[in-house]
Amino acid sequence: MSFDQNIIVNLSVISPVVSQEQFATFIGATPDTVRGWVENDTLPHVKLGRSRYINIIAFVDDLKNGKTIFSRGDYCND
């Protein structure tokens, strides 16, 4: 998966974590696609209760640091 690092994200209006469905809507992907990325540790995520949420802070930090390619297993140690 590849992202344009020139996208400006205003963190003051975004929650530190979002549901997989919200993230899918935000980036224009299907919820099933995002779910697969979470299951394959392609996106930074946290488990809250029985659900996994996308860690927006880690995601945006990676984009700011120049990460443009997100691959399977990138977040398996998080």
Side-chain angles (χ1 to χ4, degrees):
M1 151 177 81
S2 178
F3 284 95
D4 180 0
Q5 67 189 78
N6 294 318
I7 295 173
I8 297 172
V9 177
N10 184 349
L11 291 179
S12 66
V13 296
I14 297 178
S15 184
V17 296
V18 296
S19 72
Q20 294 175 40
E21 292 78 15
Q22 289 171 315
F23 188 76
T25 300
F26 182 66
I27 66 165
T30 67
D32 286 336
T33 297
V34 172
R35 196 169 302 111
W37 290 337
V38 168
E39 289 173 4
N40 293 323
D41 297 315
T42 303
L43 289 173
H45 58 278
V46 296
K47 188 171 182 180
L48 301 172
R50 294 181 355 194
S51 299
R52 292 186 180 166
Y53 294 84
I54 307 303
N55 182 339
I56 294 298
I57 300 300
F59 179 73
V60 171
D61 282 347
D62 285 344
L63 288 174
K64 284 181 180 178
N65 289 324
K67 186 172 179 73
T68 58
I69 304 294
F70 291 74
S71 302
R72 174 184 276 220
D74 281 356
Y75 298 95
C76 65
N77 295 323
D78 292 347

